[in-house]
Amino acid sequence: MADKLDAVALLKADHRKVEDLFAQFEAAKGDGKKKALAEQICMELTVHTKIEEDIFYPACEGKVEEDLLKEAYVEHDGAKVLIAEIEAGGPDDEFYDAKVKVLSEMIEHHVEEEEKRAEGMFAQARKAGLDMDDLGERMAAEKKSLMTQYKATGTPRPEVSTLEGTSLA
Ligand SMILES: [Fe+2]
Ligand SMILES: [Fe+2]
């Protein structure tokens, strides 16, 4: 059934899954458990942002408010900075839990912008008549292949498209 979801149902299911993982992380005791959960969160988010950026967002081009779409790309890239930090670090790091928490808050805001009733990105996309079944099918296929790839090779460093990579140090 999972591969028969339409685009919005598929993306929303990803959102719920990651929210649940963040809640598990917050309740988790022990470094091993925390690290495993954080790595799963990073992998899920890397796959999710990639299928949105490769398939869903381009389909929204010219169909949803341009500002909203641009902000979504920048929000993804902001999240990727923390994802890369979390992947490079571990539960021993002084700010590890804080980074995971702040990432969860960034994602919460971003998900709200996508799912908001009436003016959210998904609502605008549906109103514009995007073919959600086709997009869902294509994203499910890409997700499956990325998951297989990342499980074999590890999650790659996220790619950003909107940030200049300004050096902070
Ligand atoms: Fe999303
Ligand atoms: Fe997104």
Side-chain angles (χ1 to χ4, degrees):
M1 287 299 278
D3 55 340
K4 289 284 177 221
L5 295 177
D6 85 2
V8 170
L10 182 149
L11 296 173
K12 281 185 171 178
D14 279 359
H15 294 166
R16 301 294 85 78
K17 179 166 190 189
V18 171
E19 284 163 6
D20 178 61
L21 289 168
F22 277 122
Q24 286 186 48
F25 180 91
E26 215 163 322
K29 305 260 185 288
D31 287 358
K33 180 89 184 148
K34 281 188 173 186
K35 189 159 174 58
L37 283 164
E39 279 174 3
Q40 200 191 342
I41 288 167
C42 290
M43 186 185 75
E44 298 283 347
L45 287 175
T46 301
V47 172
H48 181 81
T49 52
K50 191 157 167 55
I51 63 174
E52 283 186 341
E53 287 172 26
D54 287 350
I55 297 166
F56 193 77
Y57 288 4
C60 289
E61 210 73 57
K63 312 271 185 189
V64 312
E65 279 174 276
E66 196 187 347
D67 289 358
L68 186 68
L69 193 55
K70 283 188 165 161
E71 286 162 26
Y73 280 108
V74 176
E75 286 168 2
H76 276 196
D77 285 355
K80 288 173 201 168
V81 173
L82 280 181
I83 290 170
E85 286 276 324
I86 292 161
E87 283 180 329
D92 287 348
D93 300 350
E94 188 184 356
F95 293 104
Y96 192 73
D97 288 18
K99 286 172 185 172
V100 175
K101 177 72 183 177
V102 172
L103 177 63
S104 81
E105 290 166 348
M106 289 167 77
I107 297 298
E108 189 184 346
H109 165 81
H110 179 73
V111 161
E112 168 79 14
E113 297 282 305
E114 290 183 341
E115 294 191 13
K116 218 183 315 186
R117 272 175 185 278
E119 78 267 39
M121 192 194 297
F122 296 168
Q124 289 188 32
R126 221 188 256 295
K127 205 170 157 201
L130 293 196
D131 185 342
M132 296 299 183
D133 288 329
D134 174 62
L135 291 169
E137 219 165 282
R138 285 162 52 203
M139 285 193 289
E142 188 187 2
K143 183 175 170 179
K144 199 172 162 201
S145 107
L146 289 173
M147 284 284 187
T148 311
Q149 200 182 314
Y150 294 176
K151 274 176 188 154
T153 61
T155 310
R157 282 180 75 84
E159 288 167 28
V160 298
S161 60
T162 69
L163 304 179
E164 306 295 336
T166 311
S167 178
L168 303 177

